[in-house]
Amino acid sequence: LRAILFCWKGVLFRMNYIVLDLEWNQAAYKSVEEEDLPLENIEIGAVKYIYDNGQLVQRDVFSQDVRPTQYKKLHYHVKKVTRKKNSDLMKGRPFEEVSREFLEFCGPDAILVGWGNSDPAMLKMNLKFFGLDDKLGIPFLDIQPLFSSFSGQRGKQRSVEAAVDYYNIEKNDIFHSATADAHYTGRIFEEIFRHNQCTEVISAISSSSVDPDIKSEFGFVGQPAPTADA
């Protein structure tokens, strides 16, 4: 976590924050579930920010659909939440290509940012299944607890939409699209900086970022959902 450890020495001021959101599909029936891939990625959305003079500045957007190889028919819950159709799945590109381009998009001195801690685990699981290097090599920041803390709701798990409402962020896109949710999460991240002392936010980022390549206690409990806040 070199970037985190040296954030007070200037690295933070040229740091890329990659606000990530994934959508995934799952087997329609447990009997046909692939043991090593219970959830297959079908969309990657991300917004790149740079920290500049006390605020986050948006620099770029990544938005790609992924063509599944294991679960080519949408699970009913995924279809309901994402509003995708089965025909939409075949319009995507191979995961191997999309994941490579996404990691190139992240670039050096990056921190992955997400709502909830499931997306890095999902990404790593898909990378491993498709025979790719699943070592991300960059820190990850879950801003859900940061929002709870800075909004005076410490200990409460809030959805992306609840945080959007809290900051009166305009709802221009439908939730549960990876790109739209990445945009909303990024706007929440911007508001956290805007409404609080930068030194406090930076300190919280430094103490809260984790190494996603270190195995955690994360596991799949109950019915998997297509997004972290579903």
Side-chain angles (χ1 to χ4, degrees):
L1 299 182
R2 178 181 61 84
I4 291 296
L5 295 176
F6 289 92
C7 67
W8 292 106
K9 297 184 179 181
V11 175
L12 181 69
F13 296 93
R14 54 184 175 87
M15 180 78 66
N16 289 324
Y17 288 93
I18 311 298
V19 182
L20 169 69
D21 191 84
L22 304 180
E23 299 292 341
W24 51 74
N25 193 25
Q26 63 192 80
Y29 304 100
K30 193 71 175 179
S31 60
V32 297
E33 179 180 282
E34 171 61 53
E35 182 178 356
D36 294 328
L37 191 72
L39 301 171
E40 184 173 17
N41 182 224
I42 57 173
E43 186 183 356
I44 299 179
V47 181
K48 179 182 288 187
Y49 286 91
I50 189 168
Y51 179 86
D52 183 25
N53 195 30
Q55 62 182 347
L56 295 178
V57 179
Q58 183 177 319
R59 285 294 176 85
D60 206 353
V61 176
F62 184 93
S63 179
Q64 289 289 331
D65 290 322
V66 176
R67 184 169 67 245
T69 64
Q70 304 302 306
Y71 311 129
K72 300 178 182 180
K73 183 178 180 180
L74 285 165
H75 185 278
Y76 75 92
H77 179 71
V78 178
K79 180 184 290 188
K80 178 181 178 181
V81 172
T82 65
R83 304 187 185 185
K84 291 180 180 291
K85 296 180 291 187
N86 288 324
S87 58
D88 294 332
L89 297 180
M90 295 301 103
K91 297 176 184 178
R93 297 169 55 218
F95 176 77
E96 294 89 337
E97 294 179 8
V98 174
S99 61
R100 182 184 68 249
E101 292 176 7
F102 168 68
L103 293 174
E104 290 174 354
F105 171 83
C106 292
D109 291 326
I111 294 180
L112 280 179
V113 178
W115 192 268
N117 61 8
S118 59
D119 281 342
M122 295 299 98
L123 180 59
K124 286 171 64 64
M125 180 177 65
N126 279 256
L127 288 168
K128 184 176 181 179
F129 180 84
F130 287 101
L132 305 172
D133 184 3
D134 69 338
K135 184 177 175 61
L136 299 180
I138 50 179
F140 172 74
L141 172 69
D142 177 5
I143 69 166
Q144 187 180 51
L146 259 67
F147 165 75
S148 296
S149 177
F150 283 113
S151 64
Q153 304 175 60
R154 185 184 296 274
K156 294 183 179 180
Q157 286 193 326
R158 310 296 289 177
S159 68
V160 169
E161 188 167 7
V164 165
D165 289 338
Y166 178 85
Y167 286 123
N168 295 314
I169 296 169
E170 190 172 354
K171 299 177 184 178
N172 295 317
D173 299 303
I174 297 173
F175 288 90
H176 300 301
S177 151
T179 305
D181 283 1
H183 273 292
Y184 283 129
T185 304
R187 289 286 289 111
I188 295 165
F189 200 25
E190 290 180 50
E191 294 297 325
I192 290 174
F193 268 95
R194 185 172 292 120
H195 290 276
N196 299 280
Q197 292 290 331
C198 290
T199 53
E200 293 181 6
V201 178
I202 292 169
S203 177
I205 291 172
S206 299
S207 61
S208 302
S209 299
V210 300
D211 185 346
D213 294 320
I214 295 177
K215 189 174 182 179
S216 68
E217 297 301 316
F218 175 81
F220 305 113
V221 179
Q223 183 72 17
T227 57
D229 59 306

